[in-house]
Amino acid sequence: MIFDLVKDTKINENYKLMAQTIIPRPIAWVVTEDNGVINIAPFSYFIGLSSEPATVLISVGHKDATTPKDTLANIRKNKKCVICMVDEPNLQKMHLSSKVVDKDLSEAKLFDIATKTLFDQFPPMIEGVPCAYFCTLNQEIDLGGKTIPLILNVEQIYVKDENIVDKENLTISFDPIARIGKSYAKLGDEITPPAIV
């Protein structure tokens, strides 16, 4: 079956097709701050772009036709965010934080999500996560739609000590939660790469 996205422009159908075939997708649990209000929201259109320079991309939409989501508004204004990686102990709170709430309300308070400040110049990170990226805005990409891809420079990376299983070779291990369609999943068994002859 062929889906022609040029002729059939139903955005919701595009999302269903892409979200269920680009799998698994990592979740960026993004912390921003504005006027003392901590905003926390998950996004599953998230990927590493480059390690040199260290950059990632998240796509953030709008609450409605004209109002950007708080994450987008805060990054546009303050140029900074912290992306936390999600593991199973944080799954429920991450999912709760996807709910749309008023800009003046903090998901940290509403859903009892503990945070801690590592760097004064960045929003706080979520306590207990295995890894966090401290990012500054590089640029927005205008695709002509209501979803805005943001390229972010990674300035600092936090990794929980117990997730570094080999410090000498910098080997990191944790069990991330991924998005698959409307569901979440764990990655399961790792597969050793085939030998290259």
Side-chain angles (χ1 to χ4, degrees):
M1 185 171 192
I2 301 296
F3 298 89
D4 189 332
L5 305 188
V6 176
K7 292 179 181 175
D8 184 359
T9 58
K10 294 179 185 173
I11 292 175
N12 192 41
E13 296 300 316
N14 292 357
Y15 176 80
K16 287 178 182 177
L17 288 164
M18 295 177 72
Q20 293 179 86
T21 55
I22 302 172
I23 55 174
R25 301 190 315 279
I27 299 165
W29 201 12
V30 182
V31 184
T32 58
E33 191 171 8
D34 188 48
N35 293 326
V37 178
I38 296 171
N39 176 268
I40 301 174
F43 297 90
S44 64
Y45 273 52
F46 162 54
I47 193 167
L49 276 184
S50 170
S51 56
E52 184 56 48
T55 49
V56 296
L57 182 142
I58 60 170
S59 288
V60 186
H62 284 66
K63 292 181 180 181
D64 55 44
T66 59
T67 308
K69 288 187 176 180
D70 298 335
T71 300
L72 178 57
N74 291 348
I75 292 175
R76 281 175 167 168
K77 180 179 177 183
N78 300 305
K79 314 299 185 200
K80 294 181 180 179
C81 70
V82 178
I83 297 175
C84 299
M85 305 306 288
V86 180
D87 56 2
E88 193 168 7
N90 290 298
L91 174 59
Q92 182 176 11
K93 289 184 179 182
M94 178 275 295
H95 185 70
L96 288 172
S97 71
S98 66
K99 181 177 178 173
V100 177
V101 302
D102 188 82
K103 182 170 176 59
D104 296 328
L105 298 176
S106 170
E107 289 84 358
K109 290 182 180 177
L110 284 174
F111 306 118
D112 193 30
I113 302 170
T115 63
K116 66 177 180 179
T117 299
L118 285 191
F119 304 103
D120 289 337
Q121 66 270 36
F122 284 96
M125 62 173 278
I126 296 163
E127 275 192 17
V129 295
C131 178
Y133 286 43
F134 295 79
C135 303
T136 55
L137 178 62
N138 179 305
Q139 62 180 289
E140 287 187 29
I141 302 171
D142 184 0
L143 298 177
K146 67 177 187 176
T147 302
I148 309 296
L150 303 175
I151 296 177
L152 303 167
N153 296 327
V154 181
E155 308 287 350
Q156 307 277 351
I157 299 175
Y158 161 86
V159 179
K160 194 191 237 181
D161 287 346
E162 48 263 52
N163 293 114
I164 303 175
V165 294
D166 181 346
K167 288 185 179 179
E168 187 175 328
N169 295 303
L170 192 54
T171 304
I172 298 165
S173 178
F174 66 97
D175 295 317
I177 294 294
R179 188 77 182 194
I180 297 180
K182 295 180 179 179
S183 303
Y184 299 109
K186 294 187 278 188
L187 295 185
D189 296 332
E190 293 186 18
I191 298 171
T192 303
I196 298 175
V197 180

